[in-house]
Each structure stands twice: as structure tokens, then as C-alpha cells.
């Protein structure tokens, strides 16, 4: 993707001037997930569903978007001598609560509000849609100038109790202690915490205890993080391959708005006789062959790289 910025601040020049931006792929992973922006804020500040058909192709060729590094004629911009601390912006907690209710992590919501002035819900929501895939989206925020890091008012000192209460009410089946522990494990990211809670429902208390034991934090999870969130090994090489992908799955929403309805999944699976493939719908415990998968109405699309293991 390419774009332009009219008043980009160049640190080495000490001035603002026009700039061009581009994004490319460093590598092509075995699977690629494409998310459609199916929701927007209406005039009444209530999230609403965008009813639109998308002509999603059965295959993608992204090889032309592979990053090639700096070109010979390009000169790299010098690194700034130091990072500029974030401005001391006061955020509206009611907007934070509204954004977290939409399923976004608290750190990401705070980051969005800091970037957009702290009081504009629509601007913050648009920022989230544009930056939710950033690698640092749910990371703890850096300290503000002249102040401490992002506020945290939980009993353990690592998550905000507003987020705990909001998630308890939204999920409706976990205790305050369980939700607080999950949020502490994932640094306040509500979506990841909710997914982990549902994934460990069979023995949730045991899973929480195992996390405590694994992280060696007997007194609590205040400074803990799951093993999966540890810093990656710098010596590992990225999985890479050709940039050709085939559509193999999608998630769609049945319903008129964000507060009601149901999500279902469709996957492209081998036929029982081994001849070809067929679409299969997964609707809770119901699994059946799907003659007409709702490909134009997908919310999430799953693509598999052509040389990737189909059983992965």
C-alpha cells in the first residue's frame, strides 16, 4: 500500500514537508488473515454493521508486494537522537470503556486516544481500525511526559478495574478473579484474555495456577506474561515462501447489528472420496456441507500459501 503525508515532520531537517509512504511484505507466512471493516460508528455513536458485498478472489498473488529493502538511489533518513515522549493528554474514561466494550484491548484504546487528542471517540475508533494490526498495538504505553505510565487501578496493580468489570459483564460466565487474572496475563488486552478464558474453560482455575507457577510469580500475576508472548528468538528465521495464496476459510456474521446475531465459519476441506475439495460450514456443534458459502459477506478471510502444509 502506498500513500502520502502532507506535513510529515523530518527530525533531521527540523521542519515539516511532504512525504510518501509504502508498506511491503518482509516475508509471506503460511497463512494470511484478511479482515474486512464491517462496522462503523453511526451518528448516534452506536456501532453498526456495514452491509456490503465484497468480491473476494479465490486466489491472491502478492509477490509484487515483497519488500526489497532500500534502493540504490535512496538515502536513509538518519535516526533521531532520542525518542520524543508522549504528550500529557488526558483521556476520557467513558470513551475508553466504550472502545473496550467493542472488543479492543485497553492499551490499544489508550494508545488510540492519545494519538487523537483523548476526547474524540470517532477519531479514536478510526485510528484503531487503521492500527489494530500494529505489533505494538496492545503493548503497555510508554510513560507520559512528566508523569507515569498508563494508569492502572486494579487490585494487583497491573490492570484497570473498569476493564475487569466490563469484561465480566460482557462474557457473563467468569468470576471477577478469573477475568482479572486473564487480563493480567495478557497485559490488559481484552480480546486475547477472553479467547484464553474460553480456551481453558474445562479447568480455568488450574490454568491460572499453572501460569502463576510457570512464571515463577507466587504472589500473583502482576509482572507475568504467558510463554507465548515472550520476545522472539532473534536467531530464528521467518517462515517464507512464494506470495501466492488460496482462499480456504472465512468467518461471517448472521444478524443486523453488532449487539445481536451469530458468527459462523466456513472452511474448504477435502471431499470424503479424496476427489477435490468442498466448503464445510461450522455452526457451533453443527457441521455440514455448504453449497453456497457467503464469500461476499465475510468478516475474516483465511488464505493459505500454496506450498504450505494443508494439514497445519
Amino acid at each position: 500500500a502506498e500513500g502520502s503525508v502532507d506535513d510529515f515532520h523530518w527530525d533531521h531537517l527540523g521542519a515539516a514537508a511532504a512525504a510518501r509512504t509504502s508498506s511491503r511484505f518482509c516475508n509471506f507466512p503460511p497463512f494470511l488473515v484478511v479482515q474486512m471493516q464491517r462496522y462503523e460508528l453511526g451518528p448516534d455513536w452506536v456501532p453498526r454493521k456495514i452491509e456490503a458485498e465484497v468480491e473476494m478472489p479465490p486466489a491472491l498473488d502478492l509477490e509484487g508486494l515483497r519488500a526489497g529493502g532500500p534502493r540504490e538511489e535512496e538515502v536513509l533518513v538518519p535516526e533521531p537522537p532520542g525518542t520524543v515522549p508522549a504528550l500529557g493528554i488526558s483521556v476520557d474514561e467513558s470513551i475508553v470503556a466504550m472502545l473496550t466494550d467493542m472488543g479492543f484491548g485497553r492499551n490499544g484504546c489508550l494508545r488510540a486516544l492519545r494519538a487523537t487528542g483523548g476526547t474524540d471517540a470517532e477519531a479514536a475508533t478510526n485510528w484503531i481500525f487503521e492500527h489494530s494490526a500494529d505489533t505494538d498495538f496492545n503493548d503497555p504505553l510508554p510513560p507520559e511526559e512528566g508523569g507515569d505510565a498508563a494508569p492502572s487501578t486494579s487490585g494487583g496493580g497491573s490492570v484497570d478495574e473498569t476493564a475487569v468489570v466490563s469484561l465480566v459483564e460482557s462474557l457473563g460466565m467468569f468470576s471477577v478473579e478469573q477475568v482479572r487474572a486473564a487480563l493480567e496475563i495478557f497485559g490488559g488486552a481484552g480480546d486475547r484474555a477472553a479467547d484464553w478464558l474460553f480456551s481453558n474453560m474445562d479447568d480455568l482455575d488450574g490454568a491460572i495456577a499453572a501460569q502463576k507457577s510457570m512464571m515463577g510469580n507466587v504472589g500473583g500475576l502482576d509482572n507475568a506474561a504467558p510463554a507465548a508472548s515472550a520476545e522472539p528468538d532473534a536467531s530464528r528465521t521467518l517462515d517464507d515462501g512464494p506470495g501466492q495464496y488460496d482462499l480456504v476459510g472465512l468467518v461471517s456474521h448472521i444478524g443486523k447489528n453488532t449487539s445481536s446475531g451469530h458468527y459462523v465459519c466456513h472452511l474448504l476441506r477435502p471431499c470424503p472420496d479424496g476427489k477435490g475439495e468442498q466448503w464445510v460450514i461450522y455452526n457451533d456443534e453443527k457441521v455440514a456441507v455448504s453449497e453456497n458459502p457467503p464469500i461476499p459477506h465475510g468478516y475474516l478471510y483465511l488464505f493459505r500459501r500454496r506450498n504450505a502444509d494443508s494439514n497445519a
Side-chain angles (χ1 to χ4, degrees):
E2 297 187 357
S4 61
V5 181
D6 293 333
D7 296 311
F8 184 82
H9 182 79
W10 301 90
D11 292 319
H12 67 299
L13 298 177
R20 289 184 300 169
T21 64
S22 63
S23 299
R24 295 288 186 270
F25 285 90
C26 175
N27 68 299
F28 290 108
F31 292 92
L32 182 69
V33 177
V34 178
Q35 179 181 354
M36 296 292 104
Q37 185 173 322
R38 290 284 183 182
Y39 305 110
E40 64 180 356
L41 280 180
D44 54 357
W45 300 103
V46 175
R48 64 184 182 185
K49 185 176 178 181
I50 300 176
E51 295 287 358
E53 293 190 359
V54 177
E55 295 184 6
M56 185 60 63
L60 295 177
D61 188 348
L62 305 178
E63 193 61 43
L65 297 178
R66 184 185 291 274
R71 300 173 184 173
E72 293 184 1
E73 68 274 15
E74 293 178 335
V75 178
L76 297 181
V77 176
E79 292 291 338
T83 58
V84 179
L87 297 176
I89 297 175
S90 176
V91 300
D92 188 330
E93 281 296 330
S94 65
I95 299 179
V96 175
M98 183 193 74
L99 295 175
T100 55
D101 285 344
M102 294 171 65
F104 303 111
R106 178 174 173 82
N107 286 338
C109 297
L110 290 172
R111 194 179 301 276
L113 284 166
R114 272 199 190 180
T116 56
T119 58
D120 191 330
E122 183 175 12
T125 303
N126 291 333
W127 190 96
I128 288 174
F129 285 137
E130 294 174 2
H131 296 273
S132 59
D134 293 355
T135 56
D136 63 345
F137 179 74
N138 278 316
D139 289 351
L141 274 67
E144 294 186 336
E145 186 177 11
D148 299 325
S152 172
T153 59
S154 74
S158 58
V159 295
D160 183 76
E161 284 300 310
T162 303
V164 175
V165 174
S166 176
L167 197 57
V168 169
E169 293 177 349
S170 299
L171 301 179
M173 57 191 308
F174 301 105
S175 68
V176 172
E177 291 75 15
Q178 291 170 336
V179 170
R180 183 183 295 115
L183 286 169
E184 289 175 350
I185 290 171
F186 290 99
D191 52 348
R192 296 175 63 194
D195 182 68
W196 186 83
L197 287 166
F198 283 115
S199 299
N200 292 276
M201 285 180 61
D202 292 342
D203 185 14
L204 186 54
D205 292 335
I208 293 173
Q211 284 290 339
K212 290 182 179 180
S213 175
M214 181 172 59
M215 302 313 299
N217 189 353
V218 178
L221 295 172
D222 299 342
N223 300 313
S229 66
E231 289 296 323
D233 185 353
S235 65
R236 294 180 58 187
T237 58
L238 295 174
D239 192 338
D240 196 9
Q244 288 81 36
Y245 288 84
D246 295 307
L247 179 65
V248 295
L250 69 134
V251 174
S252 58
H253 179 261
I254 303 172
K256 293 296 183 181
N257 54 62
T258 60
S259 60
S260 64
H262 186 62
Y263 288 94
V264 296
C265 174
H266 286 75
L267 292 177
L268 190 63
R269 305 296 298 164
C271 295
D273 58 6
K275 299 179 181 180
E277 296 176 313
Q278 62 185 359
W279 284 99
V280 178
I281 181 174
Y282 296 81
N283 183 359
D284 292 339
E285 73 278 3
K286 299 177 182 178
V287 180
V289 174
S290 177
E291 299 293 340
N292 296 295
I295 295 178
H297 301 282
Y299 169 65
L300 293 174
Y301 294 91
L302 176 65
F303 288 85
R304 183 176 62 222
R305 199 178 65 206
R306 290 199 177 161
N307 70 341
D309 183 4
S310 61
N311 295 319

